[in-house]
Amino acid sequence: MPRTRPGASILHCDPDALHAAAPPFTTVQKRRIVCTVGDAQARFSRMKSTSKKRTPSIVNLTVKRRYLTQREIDRLMDCARKHRRYGHRDATMIFVAYRHGLRASEVCDLQWQQIELSEGRLHVHRVKNGIPSVHPIRGDEMRALRKLRRDYPRDAHVFVSERGGPISPIGFHRLVQRLGEAAKMPFPIHPHMLRHACGFKLANDGHDTRALQHYLGHKNIQHTVRYTEMAPDRFKDFWRN
């Protein structure tokens, strides 16, 4: 037997015994990797399948310019009158939503009891804890609403579908989207652009920010300031002699 230094006897142990005593680290690590990859693939598959079922939101359809101009809204209304079966109803719905800064759910829930045609007033009910208010109804809007009332004399809601029920927000969204395509708008549009168009139009006309806040039903005035900040006409008197 060859000589060995003290403490070096482990070098001459039986290889089979040493292998048998060693824990199977390699096998355990392989199993853990397989399980981890499999779990990750399963989670990715579930996320991928559920993402297809999500409905498109406003954020997905929003372009850099978040509002429409008066000329663009006129194009939508003209397109509705010429190419839609219920052209007057659709054009009036867009007009009322724009004139009063209504959200899709607010214009769809609008009822005739909120409208005083004889006095020219509209009682606006806001969602999202917004401030309710009473808006004036001008002559062009008054004539459109009177004609719509003659067409639908028995309905409680102002804007109803073929089945007699109120138009849903999804239906209004699709209506505006189709009209935008028919009017050959250069970008996709959605109903909330009508509310933004109202805010920017009134801000450009120089109306008071506090009055505009209550007109749009904002609880926080910071939501109204964004319209006045973007108004180009607020600098029109600068450097004028």
Side-chain angles (χ1 to χ4, degrees), residues 203-206 231-241:
N204 290 339
D205 291 343
D233 294 338
R234 63 180 178 148
F235 302 130
K236 63 181 181 180
D237 293 328
F238 282 26
W239 300 99
R240 177 174 292 182
N241 295 328

Side-chain angles (χ1 to χ4, degrees), residues 34-49:
V34 171
C35 294
T36 304
V37 174
D39 294 341
Q41 290 179 347
R43 288 194 297 268
F44 178 79
S45 299
R46 287 194 296 269
M47 292 172 61
K48 188 176 181 180
S49 60

